[in-house]
Amino acid sequence: FRRDATFLVKPMLMDQLDEIDDGTRLVIDATDHYVDQDIREAIAGFLEDAHARKIEVTLKGVSLAPVGARGHH
């Protein structure tokens, strides 16, 4: 995701994450890419829901520390 367009991308990302089927294995690979704070927050919010939905998530190149889950629905 481009740093200067995350305010446009975040809602689309959140919608796409919400559409992932329960029980899915998901790899989020941002190796060698900048990940904006807003996007990391959206991912953190998704991870909070993923366990209950039995979604196995692997993160590559994304650090969520010290990110909270603000902004996720």
Side-chain angles (χ1 to χ4, degrees):
F1 299 106
R2 294 188 52 174
R3 182 185 325 203
D4 55 351
T6 57
F7 70 96
L8 297 171
V9 173
K10 183 178 178 181
M12 289 187 305
L13 172 64
M14 291 171 62
D15 288 344
Q16 288 185 356
L17 290 174
D18 286 342
E19 291 179 11
I20 293 174
D21 292 332
D22 293 356
T24 298
R25 287 183 165 174
L26 174 66
V27 176
I28 299 174
D29 188 351
T31 304
D32 298 325
H33 296 281
Y34 173 81
V35 180
D36 189 80
Q37 175 77 15
D38 285 346
I39 299 302
R40 292 186 294 140
E41 288 173 359
I43 293 169
F46 174 74
L47 291 176
E48 288 182 1
D49 297 336
H51 180 73
R53 295 177 54 196
K54 300 189 182 335
I55 298 173
E56 181 183 322
V57 182
T58 302
L59 298 178
K60 295 182 179 183
V62 179
S63 173
L64 300 182
V67 173
R70 298 181 320 218
H72 185 72
H73 54 90

